[in-house]
Amino acid sequence: MLGKLSRKNKILLLITAVVFVIAIPLTIIQVQKQQSLRQRAAPKETKLYFANKDNCSKPLENLNISNNKSVDLSLCLQNNNQNIGINGFNIALVTDNALTFTSTEVTDDTRKFDSNPHIKILDGGKTLRFIGIGTNDVSGQIFTLLNFSVNAVGENIDRKVTIQTAEIATLTQDKLLTVETFTLSTTIAAGGPTPTSTPIPPGTATSTPTPT
């Protein structure tokens, strides 16, 4: 059939074929980019953040603490999809050099997931591992997952408490849920009064997030 085509038509046919071959991968790449953008823009199913002890209604992103003082905090979990229950979690918190995890306290919310969760302070107080797995999904919107204390050593320096690992599972759908995490920025002052924290007004936890 090609033998019956003129030279000009053969060239046009070849050019068309080349353009077609090039267009296919470009189209695939464009579709993948659009899907990636949609996924990043979609709200996360859950959120992990910090708060003053037993006060998860007021998330914290900034904390002021005096040198050689401790502060009691909570790790909070918010479920943004009320159609999905939560079955378990695998979480690791890490600190900068001047901050140390000193103690932990299991909460009533923790026991809803696991009556005997695995909690361990590692690396000389720089890492806090927290694992709980239940037999059923737990419904709810906000949970105080864990209470813990952090001690500060240093003066006039800025440090952070970071959520390094954040795996939240649902049994019903047999998957890991998407998680938005927040970093707690800490300023260590030069000794003085009892440490105080600066809360974020209710409802504004996502206005200036610091995802990790």
Side-chain angles (χ1 to χ4, degrees):
M1 179 177 178
L2 288 175
K4 296 181 181 180
L5 296 174
S6 66
R7 179 180 177 82
K8 182 177 180 181
N9 287 338
K10 287 180 180 179
I11 293 174
L12 289 175
L13 184 61
L14 289 173
I15 292 174
T16 302
V18 171
V19 171
F20 182 74
V21 170
I22 294 175
I24 291 176
L26 289 177
T27 301
I28 293 174
I29 292 173
Q30 184 62 31
V31 170
Q32 289 175 339
K33 285 183 177 179
Q34 291 175 348
Q35 290 176 340
S36 178
L37 288 173
R38 282 197 295 268
Q39 289 174 350
R40 280 184 283 180
K44 302 295 185 182
E45 294 168 303
T46 62
K47 181 192 303 181
L48 277 174
Y49 58 93
F50 300 98
N52 285 320
K53 183 179 179 181
D54 295 324
N55 196 12
C56 285
S57 62
K58 295 182 178 180
L60 291 176
E61 282 188 327
N62 299 286
L63 178 71
N64 298 321
I65 182 172
S66 298
N67 180 31
N68 291 320
K69 296 290 185 178
S70 294
V71 62
D72 296 327
L73 301 169
S74 289
L75 176 67
C76 308
L77 170 63
Q78 179 173 313
N79 183 4
N80 296 324
N81 187 344
Q82 295 303 294
N83 295 320
I84 297 177
I86 295 173
N87 165 245
F89 41 81
N90 174 25
I91 299 168
L93 307 181
V94 295
T95 68
D96 288 336
N97 290 335
L99 299 172
T100 304
F101 296 112
T102 57
S103 63
T104 61
E105 176 187 339
V106 174
T107 69
D108 290 339
D109 283 349
T110 307
R111 295 186 180 91
K112 293 178 182 178
F113 298 96
D114 192 333
S115 60
N116 188 29
H118 174 78
I119 306 172
K120 197 165 187 179
I121 296 175
L122 306 167
D123 304 326
K126 304 306 178 186
T127 302
L128 173 57
R129 292 301 307 269
F130 181 40
I131 301 172
I133 302 175
T135 56
N136 298 291
D137 283 338
V138 178
S139 299
Q141 183 177 11
I142 296 179
F143 303 95
T144 303
L145 277 189
L146 181 70
N147 290 331
F148 63 95
S149 296
V150 172
N151 186 66
V153 178
E155 294 184 357
N156 299 321
I157 54 177
D158 296 327
R159 290 294 182 258
K160 297 180 184 297
V161 179
T162 305
I163 300 173
Q164 185 181 64
T165 302
E167 296 179 343
I168 308 298
T170 175
L171 184 64
T172 303
Q173 297 193 10
D174 191 23
K175 69 171 187 176
L176 292 178
L177 301 173
T178 56
V179 187
E180 180 181 12
T181 61
F182 290 79
T183 295
L184 180 62
S185 297
T186 303
T187 300
I188 303 176
T194 304
T196 60
S197 53
T198 305
I200 302 172
T204 61
T206 59
S207 60
T208 54
T210 313
T212 59

